[in-house]
Amino acid sequence: MSYRHTPSNRFGPALPLLLGALLAGPALADKADPIGEVSTAFKLVGPNHKILVEAFDDPRITGVACYLARPKTGGVKGGLGLAEDPSHASLSCHQIGPITLPAKLKPGEEVFDVSTSLVFKEQKVVRFYDEKRNALVYLTYSTKLVNGSYKSAVSAVPIMPWG
């Protein structure tokens, strides 16, 4: 019996998944504007570990901008996009102009996401409307369970008259 080594035998069904994740990763991060970054740990080879600050606008509600600070793993793996970033982040959302709410808002609607590992881990931001307090509430969380819980942060934007 002879065994023939082919690429499909070597990689199996994981190859399309891996290629899809590599191609999708940069597109997710393009929805945010880079504001700045600070190095948190020096790496001799590859980029340093950092904290990135990014801004994005709510795609359905004009007049709201959010700022997300999240860690980015450096080193060789980080430079190649193979590292998993830590799961914590902070979020600050603000009214930057007049806000007009659409007729219907879906509770927990996703407004932003960015891939934080090669596959399966993301940092997401979702929106809720608190009708009683007339405020928009934004929640960011990592899709990976860490020590029994999901890392999260919240920010509220009171809807105020503008100008």
Side-chain angles (χ1 to χ4, degrees):
M1 176 175 185
S2 68
Y3 174 74
R4 222 174 141 185
H5 188 72
T6 64
S8 61
N9 288 340
R10 191 167 82 206
F11 296 109
L15 184 59
L17 181 64
L18 182 62
L19 289 174
L22 286 171
L23 295 174
L28 295 172
D30 287 342
K31 294 191 276 182
D33 298 319
I35 300 300
E37 62 184 42
V38 293
S39 289
T40 57
F42 174 76
K43 300 303 281 180
L44 188 59
V45 179
N48 292 340
H49 293 317
K50 341 176 161 178
I51 296 175
L52 305 176
V53 178
E54 302 165 311
F56 62 92
D57 297 322
D58 187 316
R60 289 201 51 218
I61 300 176
T62 58
V64 176
C66 294
Y67 297 88
L68 181 69
R70 62 184 183 87
K72 183 75 177 154
T73 302
V76 174
K77 282 186 177 181
L80 294 173
L82 302 174
E84 183 172 305
D85 295 333
S87 295
H88 49 275
S90 63
L91 178 69
S92 181
C93 298
H94 302 275
Q95 182 173 357
I96 59 168
I99 294 176
T100 305
L101 295 178
K104 192 160 194 157
L105 283 175
K106 178 182 167 192
E109 182 177 5
E110 187 174 297
V111 296
F112 179 78
D113 68 270
V114 63
S115 178
T116 54
S117 75
L118 189 56
V119 288
F120 303 127
K121 183 177 171 192
E122 297 175 287
Q123 188 73 38
K124 293 182 177 264
V125 179
V126 295
R127 174 197 345 97
F128 299 92
Y129 175 55
D130 179 354
E131 189 173 356
K132 179 179 177 182
R133 293 163 190 85
N134 197 32
L136 296 165
V137 180
Y138 293 84
L139 169 73
T140 184
Y141 65 97
S142 172
T143 59
K144 182 176 181 184
L145 190 65
V146 177
N147 295 328
S149 68
Y150 295 92
K151 301 287 186 172
S152 64
V154 68
S155 181
V157 178
I159 300 171
M160 307 291 282
W162 191 261

